[in-house]
Amino acid sequence: MPLDPVQLATFQAVVTHGSFDAAARAMNVTPSAVSQRIKALEQAVGQVLVRRTRPCVPTAAGAPLVRLGGQVALLEQEALDAARGTLGDGTRTRVAVVVNADSLAGWFLPALTAVPDVLVDLHTDDEGHTARLLRDGTVMAAVTTERVAVQGCRVLRLGAMRYLAVAAPALHATCFADRDPATVFPTATMIRFDRKDTLQHRFARTLTRRDVDPPTHFVPGTAAFTEAVRLGLGWGLLPEVVARPDLAAGRLVEPAPGRHLDVPLYWQYWRLESTALAALTAAVRAAARTALR
């Protein structure tokens, strides 16, 4: 039995706007009409599709329909633009994308200048977790470390982002100078972006050959993270392009010279014949070729 497109669009609106009332305002209908459509869709599917929380979120059964609703909306908009003859005349299509913080602060944003007809709804998450938003239908594309394609998606390798372990000169002199770094990393104060950030632990493991649990500051902001390292609050990993100028100027020092951590990045996106997604994909690949290894 085919799904009712109006019910599907209403479900998409509830998830996007976070409540039945907000969805009703966006669709210019009553909250009662929204509720009736959602109940009818759930009866057709035979599953509860949305948790009536604040904000409303899809259930595991509802997640595939969020993705389907977004795909239908994207293709419908592009088809209407083509039928009306407005495709390519400045009409702008919105695409939701999730990007890890370091890529967003570095090479990703310049890619958007090549796609002026695409409006981007940007989300940010740790690169090891971005694919989750693809699975639940929140985004249409992701910069991720997952090389296995999410169901319904294509995957392309972008390259690797190189990270260097760095510390302020004073911290280096106190903790690392004239010592084997493998003996220092288990106890030297570390800076992490958030609790999803495992880069520092992964780097330390390459030297110590074991898991470490040193004292840790959590600094969840790209610029603030870099500044915390410069101020000597602890050591941390910075993208090579960020670290090199500070290393050259003597503002930072490498505790383990010659060692680095390369993080492979992939572009996963919905398997759709979408003009907007194709253009964004081409722009992202071009930017990655010049910025990543």
PDB file of all heavy atoms in Angstrom, residues 8 11 49 58-71 135-137:
ATOM      1  N   LEU A   8       3.095  11.894   4.669  1.00  0.00           N
ATOM      2  CA  LEU A   8       4.559  11.813   4.741  1.00  0.00           C
ATOM      3  C   LEU A   8       5.162  13.206   4.903  1.00  0.00           C
ATOM      4  O   LEU A   8       6.075  13.405   5.710  1.00  0.00           O
ATOM      5  CB  LEU A   8       5.108  11.142   3.485  1.00  0.00           C
ATOM      6  CG  LEU A   8       6.615  10.864   3.460  1.00  0.00           C
ATOM      7  CD1 LEU A   8       7.014   9.916   4.581  1.00  0.00           C
ATOM      8  CD2 LEU A   8       7.024  10.289   2.109  1.00  0.00           C
ATOM      9  N   PHE A  11       4.571  14.346   8.456  1.00  0.00           N
ATOM     10  CA  PHE A  11       5.525  13.682   9.355  1.00  0.00           C
ATOM     11  C   PHE A  11       6.894  14.354   9.270  1.00  0.00           C
ATOM     12  O   PHE A  11       7.531  14.627  10.292  1.00  0.00           O
ATOM     13  CB  PHE A  11       5.621  12.201   8.983  1.00  0.00           C
ATOM     14  CG  PHE A  11       6.699  11.453   9.699  1.00  0.00           C
ATOM     15  CD1 PHE A  11       6.640  11.232  11.056  1.00  0.00           C
ATOM     16  CD2 PHE A  11       7.795  10.958   9.003  1.00  0.00           C
ATOM     17  CE1 PHE A  11       7.637  10.537  11.727  1.00  0.00           C
ATOM     18  CE2 PHE A  11       8.793  10.268   9.657  1.00  0.00           C
ATOM     19  CZ  PHE A  11       8.715  10.050  11.020  1.00  0.00           C
ATOM     20  N   LEU A  49       5.700   6.146  14.898  1.00  0.00           N
ATOM     21  CA  LEU A  49       6.752   6.757  14.082  1.00  0.00           C
ATOM     22  C   LEU A  49       7.430   7.946  14.743  1.00  0.00           C
ATOM     23  O   LEU A  49       8.554   8.289  14.368  1.00  0.00           O
ATOM     24  CB  LEU A  49       6.168   7.198  12.736  1.00  0.00           C
ATOM     25  CG  LEU A  49       5.535   6.085  11.895  1.00  0.00           C
ATOM     26  CD1 LEU A  49       4.928   6.673  10.632  1.00  0.00           C
ATOM     27  CD2 LEU A  49       6.569   5.013  11.546  1.00  0.00           C
ATOM     28  N   PRO A  58      11.902  11.134  15.709  1.00  0.00           N
ATOM     29  CA  PRO A  58      11.406   9.894  15.108  1.00  0.00           C
ATOM     30  C   PRO A  58      11.825   8.681  15.920  1.00  0.00           C
ATOM     31  O   PRO A  58      12.889   8.667  16.545  1.00  0.00           O
ATOM     32  CB  PRO A  58      12.046   9.885  13.722  1.00  0.00           C
ATOM     33  CG  PRO A  58      13.292  10.699  13.891  1.00  0.00           C
ATOM     34  CD  PRO A  58      12.960  11.757  14.901  1.00  0.00           C
ATOM     35  N   THR A  59      10.996   7.662  15.911  1.00  0.00           N
ATOM     36  CA  THR A  59      11.368   6.379  16.488  1.00  0.00           C
ATOM     37  C   THR A  59      12.275   5.648  15.503  1.00  0.00           C
ATOM     38  O   THR A  59      12.521   6.131  14.385  1.00  0.00           O
ATOM     39  CB  THR A  59      10.126   5.529  16.757  1.00  0.00           C
ATOM     40  OG1 THR A  59       9.480   5.246  15.505  1.00  0.00           O
ATOM     41  CG2 THR A  59       9.146   6.257  17.674  1.00  0.00           C
ATOM     42  N   ALA A  60      12.771   4.477  15.904  1.00  0.00           N
ATOM     43  CA  ALA A  60      13.588   3.684  14.982  1.00  0.00           C
ATOM     44  C   ALA A  60      12.799   3.337  13.728  1.00  0.00           C
ATOM     45  O   ALA A  60      13.343   3.314  12.618  1.00  0.00           O
ATOM     46  CB  ALA A  60      14.059   2.411  15.687  1.00  0.00           C
ATOM     47  N   ALA A  61      11.503   3.081  13.883  1.00  0.00           N
ATOM     48  CA  ALA A  61      10.661   2.784  12.716  1.00  0.00           C
ATOM     49  C   ALA A  61      10.440   4.026  11.861  1.00  0.00           C
ATOM     50  O   ALA A  61      10.259   3.925  10.642  1.00  0.00           O
ATOM     51  CB  ALA A  61       9.316   2.216  13.180  1.00  0.00           C
ATOM     52  N   GLY A  62      10.449   5.191  12.498  1.00  0.00           N
ATOM     53  CA  GLY A  62      10.195   6.420  11.757  1.00  0.00           C
ATOM     54  C   GLY A  62      11.393   6.963  11.006  1.00  0.00           C
ATOM     55  O   GLY A  62      11.241   7.703  10.024  1.00  0.00           O
ATOM     56  N   ALA A  63      12.617   6.592  11.443  1.00  0.00           N
ATOM     57  CA  ALA A  63      13.826   7.137  10.824  1.00  0.00           C
ATOM     58  C   ALA A  63      13.885   6.930   9.311  1.00  0.00           C
ATOM     59  O   ALA A  63      14.208   7.865   8.570  1.00  0.00           O
ATOM     60  CB  ALA A  63      15.070   6.565  11.504  1.00  0.00           C
ATOM     61  N   PRO A  64      13.574   5.716   8.788  1.00  0.00           N
ATOM     62  CA  PRO A  64      13.607   5.562   7.326  1.00  0.00           C
ATOM     63  C   PRO A  64      12.616   6.464   6.602  1.00  0.00           C
ATOM     64  O   PRO A  64      12.873   6.898   5.472  1.00  0.00           O
ATOM     65  CB  PRO A  64      13.245   4.074   7.126  1.00  0.00           C
ATOM     66  CG  PRO A  64      13.581   3.414   8.411  1.00  0.00           C
ATOM     67  CD  PRO A  64      13.287   4.430   9.466  1.00  0.00           C
ATOM     68  N   LEU A  65      11.491   6.781   7.265  1.00  0.00           N
ATOM     69  CA  LEU A  65      10.509   7.654   6.623  1.00  0.00           C
ATOM     70  C   LEU A  65      10.948   9.115   6.645  1.00  0.00           C
ATOM     71  O   LEU A  65      10.556   9.891   5.769  1.00  0.00           O
ATOM     72  CB  LEU A  65       9.144   7.499   7.303  1.00  0.00           C
ATOM     73  CG  LEU A  65       8.497   6.120   7.206  1.00  0.00           C
ATOM     74  CD1 LEU A  65       7.065   6.163   7.713  1.00  0.00           C
ATOM     75  CD2 LEU A  65       8.527   5.596   5.767  1.00  0.00           C
ATOM     76  N   VAL A  66      11.763   9.490   7.643  1.00  0.00           N
ATOM     77  CA  VAL A  66      12.348  10.833   7.632  1.00  0.00           C
ATOM     78  C   VAL A  66      13.229  10.983   6.399  1.00  0.00           C
ATOM     79  O   VAL A  66      13.169  11.989   5.672  1.00  0.00           O
ATOM     80  CB  VAL A  66      13.171  11.095   8.908  1.00  0.00           C
ATOM     81  CG1 VAL A  66      13.840  12.466   8.836  1.00  0.00           C
ATOM     82  CG2 VAL A  66      12.285  11.021  10.137  1.00  0.00           C
ATOM     83  N   ARG A  67      14.058   9.966   6.159  1.00  0.00           N
ATOM     84  CA  ARG A  67      14.937   9.993   4.991  1.00  0.00           C
ATOM     85  C   ARG A  67      14.127  10.010   3.699  1.00  0.00           C
ATOM     86  O   ARG A  67      14.399  10.787   2.784  1.00  0.00           O
ATOM     87  CB  ARG A  67      15.870   8.786   5.031  1.00  0.00           C
ATOM     88  CG  ARG A  67      16.938   8.793   3.931  1.00  0.00           C
ATOM     89  CD  ARG A  67      18.042   7.797   4.242  1.00  0.00           C
ATOM     90  NE  ARG A  67      17.556   6.434   4.347  1.00  0.00           N
ATOM     91  CZ  ARG A  67      17.574   5.723   5.488  1.00  0.00           C
ATOM     92  NH1 ARG A  67      18.008   6.259   6.597  1.00  0.00           N
ATOM     93  NH2 ARG A  67      17.129   4.476   5.502  1.00  0.00           N
ATOM     94  N   LEU A  68      13.089   9.172   3.639  1.00  0.00           N
ATOM     95  CA  LEU A  68      12.241   9.136   2.448  1.00  0.00           C
ATOM     96  C   LEU A  68      11.560  10.480   2.225  1.00  0.00           C
ATOM     97  O   LEU A  68      11.510  10.979   1.093  1.00  0.00           O
ATOM     98  CB  LEU A  68      11.189   8.034   2.592  1.00  0.00           C
ATOM     99  CG  LEU A  68      10.132   7.951   1.477  1.00  0.00           C
ATOM    100  CD1 LEU A  68      10.794   7.650   0.138  1.00  0.00           C
ATOM    101  CD2 LEU A  68       9.082   6.893   1.820  1.00  0.00           C
ATOM    102  N   GLY A  69      11.048  11.080   3.297  1.00  0.00           N
ATOM    103  CA  GLY A  69      10.389  12.373   3.161  1.00  0.00           C
ATOM    104  C   GLY A  69      11.322  13.445   2.636  1.00  0.00           C
ATOM    105  O   GLY A  69      10.940  14.263   1.786  1.00  0.00           O
ATOM    106  N   GLY A  70      12.559  13.445   3.132  1.00  0.00           N
ATOM    107  CA  GLY A  70      13.536  14.417   2.645  1.00  0.00           C
ATOM    108  C   GLY A  70      13.890  14.192   1.190  1.00  0.00           C
ATOM    109  O   GLY A  70      14.046  15.140   0.413  1.00  0.00           O
ATOM    110  N   GLN A  71      14.018  12.925   0.796  1.00  0.00           N
ATOM    111  CA  GLN A  71      14.340  12.611  -0.599  1.00  0.00           C
ATOM    112  C   GLN A  71      13.203  13.028  -1.528  1.00  0.00           C
ATOM    113  O   GLN A  71      13.438  13.621  -2.591  1.00  0.00           O
ATOM    114  CB  GLN A  71      14.617  11.113  -0.727  1.00  0.00           C
ATOM    115  CG  GLN A  71      15.887  10.672  -0.023  1.00  0.00           C
ATOM    116  CD  GLN A  71      16.036   9.160   0.026  1.00  0.00           C
ATOM    117  OE1 GLN A  71      15.069   8.424  -0.192  1.00  0.00           O
ATOM    118  NE2 GLN A  71      17.232   8.692   0.328  1.00  0.00           N
ATOM    119  N   ARG A 135      21.843   8.115   8.675  1.00  0.00           N
ATOM    120  CA  ARG A 135      20.978   6.968   8.906  1.00  0.00           C
ATOM    121  C   ARG A 135      19.593   7.388   9.364  1.00  0.00           C
ATOM    122  O   ARG A 135      18.596   6.770   8.993  1.00  0.00           O
ATOM    123  CB  ARG A 135      21.601   6.037   9.948  1.00  0.00           C
ATOM    124  CG  ARG A 135      22.865   5.342   9.481  1.00  0.00           C
ATOM    125  CD  ARG A 135      23.315   4.274  10.471  1.00  0.00           C
ATOM    126  NE  ARG A 135      24.549   3.647  10.008  1.00  0.00           N
ATOM    127  CZ  ARG A 135      25.756   4.051  10.362  1.00  0.00           C
ATOM    128  NH1 ARG A 135      25.895   5.085  11.174  1.00  0.00           N
ATOM    129  NH2 ARG A 135      26.833   3.441   9.908  1.00  0.00           N
ATOM    130  N   ASP A 136      19.532   8.433  10.207  1.00  0.00           N
ATOM    131  CA  ASP A 136      18.211   8.803  10.716  1.00  0.00           C
ATOM    132  C   ASP A 136      17.505   9.836   9.837  1.00  0.00           C
ATOM    133  O   ASP A 136      16.406  10.285  10.164  1.00  0.00           O
ATOM    134  CB  ASP A 136      18.298   9.286  12.169  1.00  0.00           C
ATOM    135  CG  ASP A 136      19.066  10.596  12.347  1.00  0.00           C
ATOM    136  OD1 ASP A 136      19.218  11.356  11.365  1.00  0.00           O
ATOM    137  OD2 ASP A 136      19.490  10.874  13.479  1.00  0.00           O
ATOM    138  N   GLY A 137      18.134  10.185   8.704  1.00  0.00           N
ATOM    139  CA  GLY A 137      17.473  11.056   7.749  1.00  0.00           C
ATOM    140  C   GLY A 137      17.592  12.539   8.036  1.00  0.00           C
ATOM    141  O   GLY A 137      17.015  13.363   7.320  1.00  0.00           O
TER     142      GLY A 137
END
